[in-house]
Amino acid sequence: MRASVIANRDYVISEIDNRIYGAFLEHLGRAIYSGIYEPDHPTADKNGMRADVAELVRGLDVPMVRYPGGNFVSAYNWEDGIGPREQRPTRLDLAWHTSESNQVGIHEFADWCETVGTQMMLAVNLGSRGLEEARNFVEYVNGPTGSYWGDLRKKNGRADPWYVKMWCLGNEMDGPWQIGHKTADEYGRLASETAKALRAFDSSLELIACGSSHSNMPTYPEWERVVLEHTYETVDHISLHMYSSNYDKHTPGYLAHNVKLEAYISTVAATIDYVKAKKRSNRQVTIAFDEWNVWYHSRKQDRAILDGKHGWPHAPALLEDIYNFEDVLQVGCCLNTFIRKSDVVKLACIAQLVNVIAPIMTEPGGRSWKQTTYYPLYFASMFGRGRALNLVARCPSYEVELIGEIPYLDVAGVENEAEGTLTFFLVNRNGEEELDVELSLQGYRDARVLEHQVMTHDDLNAVNTAANPDNVAPRQGQGAVAEEDKLSVSLPPHSYQMVRVSVARG
């Protein structure tokens, strides 16, 4: 089976905002406790943070981490997580039916972000709380000393503001499951007034309004229209969420899911344009896809805790999907989608980062390791920075019910002009046949292969474990050939590849 791809240096989608490779940590399950924070762990630093986990996070070079939720934030009192730890209250978390010790709060999270080299993306509670509490949180984080909240921050050990720029105005407020769920009108008005108050404090903040929790919501896309009509002049982004699943064990349909993702993004982008035109606005609101991932492996086993049958446990194992090789292909396709839609998607967060539907797993008191899905995120984050190229691909396709024709090849291309490189991320959705791909590099010359990484496995259900952490891992590829202005590469059935070439322009 053959495919052809044209990569023309003048066919450019957008400069990629590196923040599409962001991540998410929520006070949920073991994401925080025994995830990033475990003071009795052999590798714990002076702040109680696991150094082994921090090393794996640094390896991903995530530009930002969203915190503290998620559903958790919609009933969270941020003040519970400041001051002496021994005086912090334990609260019952209604979102996940667990107890929250508040041993990690904004100070501890900020220090951890500095350790791993990332920026904070913070969320305010617009579920059980409102404008005043949001304003106070922002002032505590960013305000000067000499004011009440700045002086309280100094008293708690931090004199200098953190200057956090990215703020989420609540979480999934369209969802009936959300604490403080609202209609689009109710939420839109609250978000607009909160945004105006925050901009009165600092007009340079980047504010994110809640969009749809997923594209099957009955209110989608009307939710976006109504919310944006309230907030268009006061926010910078609208958030979208989507998770992929394969309950039916139908791989061809599963690997078509990112086509639905792409349509979701396009529909909301069109809604943004509609509201912009209606308001005669000169501003451009964009998309923050601040929750995305595969999530279905652990749902049944979590039910007893979520239904309250185990009381209010602290940091139980929840949403601990163990990812397989099939999920590598899906995550690779999703990342390719964000690259191809980088003209409208400016922020994105894989949900989540450690233990909870995450690329990194840990044992309490023990080992940490990379899940299978760590690798496509790593390759995209490392080499998917620069200009997204508008590739023209031709290849055979297959039919998926309710979605349509799906090309066997999923591909994204990025030019890093400063480094003189092109990087291609390729997925073969065909489980039976090899796919021979020829890429025409128009406007480039002197192509030379710098790096070629391949991920394949003879078992789609293969996973990594603490005992066997390298069962699914990339290997050095063979057979990628660059000749002047062409690149040829063969993709084995059900495979993910990253090919990086040096080029000259001309």
Side-chain angles (χ1 to χ4, degrees):
M1 191 167 59
R2 296 184 177 277
S4 63
V5 179
I6 297 173
N8 188 301
R9 75 175 194 185
D10 295 323
Y11 297 170
V12 176
I13 298 169
S14 177
E15 189 73 25
I16 296 168
D17 190 320
N18 294 341
R19 295 176 299 176
I20 68 171
Y21 306 119
F24 176 32
L25 277 171
E26 182 173 358
H27 281 255
L28 159 59
R30 298 193 309 115
I32 303 297
Y33 305 107
S34 80
I36 66 169
Y37 174 76
E38 191 175 356
D40 295 330
H41 193 270
T43 71
D45 64 16
K46 64 180 181 179
N47 296 319
M49 300 297 181
R50 289 183 58 152
D52 61 333
V53 173
E55 182 178 2
L56 292 176
V57 173
R58 279 193 295 270
L60 289 170
D61 193 19
V62 292
M64 66 186 186
V65 178
R66 179 175 175 244
Y67 174 89
N71 293 349
F72 173 81
V73 79
S74 290
Y76 177 55
N77 300 332
W78 67 267
E79 302 93 333
D80 292 343
I82 62 175
R85 278 179 168 152
E86 64 276 8
Q87 295 178 18
R88 297 181 189 178
T90 294
R91 302 281 191 188
L92 301 183
D93 170 33
L94 303 179
W96 303 107
H97 214 279
T98 56
S99 63
E100 170 55 53
S101 67
N102 286 300
Q103 293 302 289
V104 172
I106 182 60
H107 286 262
E108 292 78 21
F109 179 69
D111 288 345
W112 179 82
C113 285
E114 186 174 347
T115 297
V116 301
T118 194
Q119 299 296 312
M120 291 187 282
M121 178 187 192
L122 297 179
V124 299
N125 176 358
L126 292 186
S128 66
R129 310 184 91 186
L131 185 157
E132 181 68 9
E133 293 83 3
R135 168 200 166 192
N136 293 345
F137 189 24
V138 174
E139 288 190 20
Y140 184 88
V141 171
N142 287 355
T145 55
S147 67
Y148 174 82
W149 292 112
D151 286 344
L152 182 59
R153 183 188 65 244
K154 180 179 179 181
K155 179 182 176 181
N156 289 331
R158 171 79 183 197
D160 294 333
W162 283 294
Y163 299 114
V164 174
K165 289 296 182 186
M166 294 169 283
W167 292 85
C168 301
L169 303 176
N171 174 76
E172 292 187 355
M173 300 310 299
D174 63 325
W177 58 84
Q178 201 70 206
I179 302 298
H181 163 60
K182 294 171 174 59
T183 67
D185 270 312
E186 290 169 339
Y187 170 71
R189 176 146 176 77
L190 174 59
S192 177
E193 293 304 312
T194 302
K196 288 193 300 187
L198 300 187
R199 292 207 183 282
F201 169 74
D202 182 354
S203 62
S204 70
L205 297 178
E206 273 189 80
L207 304 179
I208 301 106
C210 292
S212 292
S213 300
H214 54 78
S215 61
N216 293 328
M217 290 296 292
T219 54
Y220 159 81
E222 180 69 1
W223 173 276
E224 279 77 11
R225 180 193 68 79
V226 174
V227 168
L228 285 169
E229 288 193 356
H230 283 287
T231 63
Y232 198 89
E233 298 299 333
T234 56
V235 303
D236 301 283
H237 315 280
I238 188 160
S239 72
L240 299 181
H241 296 173
M242 179 179 276
Y243 293 96
S244 302
S245 62
N246 188 19
Y247 292 109
D248 296 334
K249 300 299 180 184
H250 183 247
T251 300
Y254 178 50
L255 296 183
H257 192 267
N258 73 308
V259 175
K260 184 177 178 180
L261 169 65
E262 197 150 344
Y264 184 22
I265 292 168
S266 296
T267 298
V268 174
T271 306
I272 291 170
D273 288 344
Y274 167 78
V275 176
K276 178 180 179 179
K278 184 177 180 181
K279 288 185 169 290
R280 311 300 194 262
S281 178
N282 291 322
R283 300 184 74 252
Q284 184 60 57
V285 172
T286 54
I287 291 171
F289 218 109
D290 53 27
E291 285 189 35
W292 71 273
N293 205 344
V294 172
W295 177 21
Y296 75 100
H297 297 286
S298 63
R299 283 185 183 256
K300 289 183 180 179
Q301 70 194 40
D302 293 341
R303 204 62 263 163
I305 291 175
L306 299 179
D307 288 343
K309 295 179 180 178
H310 294 295
W312 300 89
H314 178 258
L318 279 173
L319 280 62
E320 297 198 4
D321 272 31
I322 303 303
Y323 292 121
N324 57 32
F325 173 68
E326 184 182 56
D327 300 323
V328 171
L329 306 178
Q330 178 61 33
V331 167
C333 286
C334 289
L335 287 162
N336 283 355
T337 299
F338 294 135
I339 291 171
R340 291 193 296 263
K341 303 301 288 185
S342 57
D343 55 333
V344 292
V345 177
K346 299 302 179 181
L347 313 174
C349 303
I350 192 168
Q352 296 188 16
L353 189 54
V354 183
N355 286 331
V356 174
I357 47 175
I360 298 169
M361 293 297 294
T362 72
E363 294 175 329
R367 296 165 290 187
S368 60
W369 66 97
K370 302 170 184 175
Q371 288 234 62
T372 63
T373 55
Y374 183 97
Y375 297 104
L377 179 61
Y378 166 80
F379 288 125
S381 181
M382 291 298 105
F383 305 116
R385 305 189 184 208
R387 302 191 315 157
L389 296 180
N390 190 4
L391 306 179
V392 178
R394 291 184 176 87
C395 76
S397 61
Y398 63 99
E399 181 80 18
V400 173
E401 188 177 1
L402 301 179
I403 298 180
E405 288 291 314
I406 307 299
Y408 282 113
L409 174 66
D410 191 276
V411 60
V414 178
E415 179 188 25
N416 188 317
E417 189 174 357
E419 295 181 357
T421 60
L422 296 175
T423 303
F424 298 98
F425 308 96
L426 309 103
V427 175
N428 182 2
R429 293 185 174 104
N430 193 314
E432 304 296 330
E433 294 186 47
E434 187 172 86
L435 184 59
D436 295 323
V437 182
E438 183 173 283
L439 298 101
S440 175
L441 312 180
Q442 296 181 355
Y444 303 101
R445 57 181 173 81
D446 302 333
R448 179 172 61 89
V449 175
L450 296 176
E451 188 172 3
H452 181 199
Q453 294 288 330
V454 178
M455 293 189 73
T456 61
H457 206 284
D458 57 9
D459 182 4
L460 286 175
N461 294 309
V463 302
N464 292 341
T465 64
N468 189 7
D470 298 319
N471 183 36
V472 179
R475 59 176 171 80
Q476 187 67 40
Q478 297 179 346
V481 177
E483 295 178 339
E484 186 54 26
D485 61 352
K486 285 185 173 56
L487 171 66
S488 299
V489 61
S490 292
L491 311 182
H494 281 158
S495 61
Y496 169 89
Q497 299 202 22
M498 186 278 294
V499 184
R500 189 163 167 258
V501 298
S502 67
V503 292
R505 284 181 149 232

